[in-house]
Amino acid sequence: MNMYEIITKTKHGQKLSSDEICWLVSGYVEGSIPDYQVSAWLMAVNLNSLSDEETLCLTMAMKDSGDTVDLSSVKNVTVDKHSTGGVGDKTSLIIGPVAAACGVSVPKMSGKGLGHTGGTIDKLESIPGFRTGAGFDEFIGYVNNTGFSIVSQSGNLVPADKKLYALRDATATVDSIPLIASSIMSKKLAMGADCILLDVKTGSGAFMKSVEDSERLASLMVRTGKNAGKKCMAVITDMDIPLGRAVGNTLEVIEAAEVLKGNSKGRLYELCMELAADMLVMAGKGSKEECIEAAKEAVDSGRALDVFRRSVTQQGGDAGFIDDYSKLGKAVHECSVYSKTEGYICGMNSEEIGLVSLELGAGRKTKESPVDYSAGIILEKEYGDYVKAGDKLFTLYTSTECNIVQAGEKALDALSFSENKPEQRRCVIKVID
Ligand code: URA
């Protein structure tokens, strides 16, 4: 086998054998195949795509490139959940405890945020004392104790993805559907859960801007998961507008706690109940209607909040913040932004709002940038609200050296207004089962 032939085959749209794909992945991880040849192959994949069979082989070869997690000692059916990332997406902090309170185990490894999208690990690390690092045994202990744990991805889980992703990032080959699917699914399969729920975000703040591309990605990931022997489903959800009212780590943790307390029952709560119910249905806990009721009951009874409280404590965090938000770091600077216009809010560009939050310090411009946990934005009005000139639209928070007034102007540019009330937006656009 040689790389020249493999590149040529993909360049001409010919299928690679499973042996060729395994050889490529292991050779690249070991260092015997150079970056320049793998870059050329990635570009050929970007232009010509891969078949389902090739995508599955690539996914399995990547999964097998490093450690995998053995969940056989975990009590209950295990369900993992993945979001392709968005602005204000704190669903994992809510649906993990809800699903665990309904009798499934939710072992989850997450990443840090990069660019305008947030990362679950950063949100958790904004809780004083919270440890996101754990060995496999410790992680499994957490899951068996409370039914739910999120830790950061361990050192040698899917090393092929770390190398390939860095190369894709540098060679403009990130936006290939089979490459994204194999990158995400190799990590999910290495985690070893029985069931996988994929929340594929679509719209301005998402990786996939169009519903068609999101559907292609979601379908390919579901087929790959099922071909690998897992129960797997995907939900395509709206990320054209931010999810919930808070964007930024500490602010989002507070919003998640409010949903778990049953104090916030808007769009974020509704989406969380849907996603938690999908996890329960996959785990065999009943019909969708029964599982929605179970999820709501877990919130109303306080059992989901109790799981969250115990899981924060077991990972070293001060769960006292749930009753006293002042225990979380507070931003040094605060700025209110008022409307200059009158009308209905008919657009809230998520990507632009995510970029303002990044500018305030809530995210990372590069992998090495520090994060200001206290930074972010509260959306004081929602999509569809009627506003008059002078009404408060946003509160901006930061402890970082930045131009907060200019950030406020940019936030205003993210909004569009109309004379007539816009149509309601659906949170769940499509389910792929
Ligand atoms: N997220 C991943 O984990 N991988 C990709 O390729 C894109 C998004």
Side-chain angles (χ1 to χ4, degrees):
M1 260 176 258
N2 71 70
M3 234 0 240
Y4 189 91
E5 266 176 29
I6 288 180
I7 298 165
T8 308
K9 271 183 150 178
T10 303
K11 184 173 83 170
H12 293 305
Q14 291 163 9
K15 291 207 181 5
L16 299 179
S17 68
S18 154
D19 285 350
E20 284 171 319
I21 293 174
C22 288
W23 178 83
L24 184 163
V25 171
S26 60
Y28 186 52
V29 173
E30 282 160 25
S32 57
I33 303 176
D35 279 354
Y36 58 84
Q37 286 191 309
V38 178
S39 304
W41 180 73
L42 289 171
M43 187 54 81
V45 172
N46 213 278
L47 299 173
N48 276 343
S49 197
L50 292 176
S51 67
D52 276 16
E53 223 180 330
E54 289 172 299
T55 306
L56 178 62
C57 289
L58 178 61
T59 306
M60 298 309 271
M62 287 169 71
K63 178 204 87 165
D64 292 332
S65 66
D67 295 338
T68 53
V69 184
D70 177 6
L71 295 177
S72 58
S73 59
V74 172
K75 295 185 284 198
N76 304 326
V77 179
T78 49
V79 188
D80 195 359
K81 173 256 175 192
H82 180 84
S83 159
T84 55
V87 177
D89 182 6
K90 66 284 288 176
T91 52
S92 291
L93 303 183
I94 301 164
I95 63 180
V98 170
C102 296
V104 302
S105 290
V106 187
K108 191 166 159 42
M109 287 192 180
S110 289
K112 293 182 186 279
L114 185 61
H116 72 277
T117 62
T120 304
I121 290 299
D122 297 322
K123 300 182 214 298
L124 288 170
E125 287 183 350
S126 74
I127 301 170
F130 196 99
R131 292 187 306 265
T132 55
F136 288 152
D137 290 346
E138 198 179 1
F139 173 51
I140 285 167
Y142 292 155
V143 177
N144 275 333
N145 194 26
T146 61
F148 162 68
S149 174
I150 301 181
V151 296
S152 49
Q153 227 150 274
S154 92
N156 201 34
L157 204 82
V158 198
D161 183 58
K162 291 198 185 80
K163 262 192 109 169
L164 283 170
Y165 194 88
L167 195 60
R168 286 166 58 207
D169 209 18
T171 56
T173 53
V174 168
D175 61 343
S176 148
I177 288 179
L179 295 179
I180 298 174
S182 54
S183 163
I184 292 174
M185 292 308 290
S186 58
K187 288 177 282 198
K188 294 291 109 186
L189 295 174
M191 265 304 299
D194 304 311
C195 316
I196 303 166
L197 175 68
L198 302 159
D199 177 5
V200 178
K201 302 283 180 203
T202 193
S204 63
F207 229 103
M208 297 281 125
K209 307 286 182 209
S210 75
V211 175
E212 293 72 29
D213 278 348
S214 307
E215 200 171 331
R216 252 180 252 133
L217 174 64
S219 307
L220 180 58
M221 290 197 290
V222 169
R223 290 199 300 275
T224 305
K226 286 188 174 174
N227 286 336
K230 299 291 178 187
K231 280 195 185 169
C232 188
M233 68 178 285
V235 185
I236 297 178
T237 64
D238 182 22
M239 190 35 75
D240 229 21
I241 60 174
L243 187 56
R245 291 192 154 209
V247 179
N249 299 296
T250 300
L251 300 174
E252 291 189 46
V253 167
I254 294 172
E255 191 176 24
E258 285 295 298
V259 172
L260 287 168
K261 285 177 182 175
N263 294 341
S264 170
K265 298 243 164 148
R267 198 174 144 85
L268 170 64
Y269 166 81
E270 290 300 333
L271 177 63
C272 289
M273 295 303 100
E274 284 272 335
L275 295 176
D278 288 333
M279 292 168 83
L280 298 175
V281 171
M282 273 197 290
K285 295 285 178 189
S287 67
K288 181 74 182 264
E289 291 69 32
E290 288 164 346
C291 291
I292 293 237
E293 280 318 304
K296 289 183 172 171
E297 200 278 329
V299 173
D300 293 341
S301 63
R303 286 185 300 112
L305 183 66
D306 186 51
V307 171
F308 183 58
R309 199 184 286 277
R310 288 190 296 122
S311 74
V312 168
T313 305
Q314 76 178 343
Q315 290 186 233
D318 178 2
F321 87 86
I322 293 169
D323 307 305
D324 176 3
Y325 296 139
S326 73
K327 290 194 168 187
L328 298 172
K330 181 127 178 40
V332 176
H333 308 288
E334 187 177 322
C335 171
S336 299
V337 180
Y338 299 95
S339 180
K340 297 173 183 168
T341 329
E342 178 160 351
Y344 289 97
I345 299 178
C346 64
M348 297 181 120
N349 187 298
S350 299
E351 182 168 22
E352 287 175 28
I353 290 174
L355 288 171
V356 173
S357 174
L358 179 67
E359 212 48 56
L360 294 169
R364 281 184 194 81
K365 290 183 182 165
T366 68
K367 279 186 196 138
E368 289 74 33
S369 324
V371 170
D372 172 1
Y373 295 125
S374 68
I377 307 172
I378 293 290
L379 312 176
E380 305 287 356
K381 297 282 180 198
E382 291 185 356
Y383 172 89
D385 282 352
Y386 189 77
V387 295
K388 296 200 281 305
D391 283 354
K392 189 161 156 180
L393 294 175
F394 303 105
T395 310
L396 270 45
Y397 296 92
T398 188
S399 305
T400 302
E401 193 75 20
C402 67
N403 190 334
I404 197 167
V405 175
Q406 199 177 58
E409 290 296 321
K410 283 192 189 158
L412 277 181
D413 290 344
L415 299 186
S416 340
F417 296 90
S418 62
E419 269 182 33
N420 298 317
K421 194 168 172 65
E423 271 184 29
Q424 267 203 326
R425 303 186 69 90
R426 281 176 305 145
C427 241
V428 173
I429 293 169
K430 195 154 187 174
V431 175
I432 294 178
D433 200 343

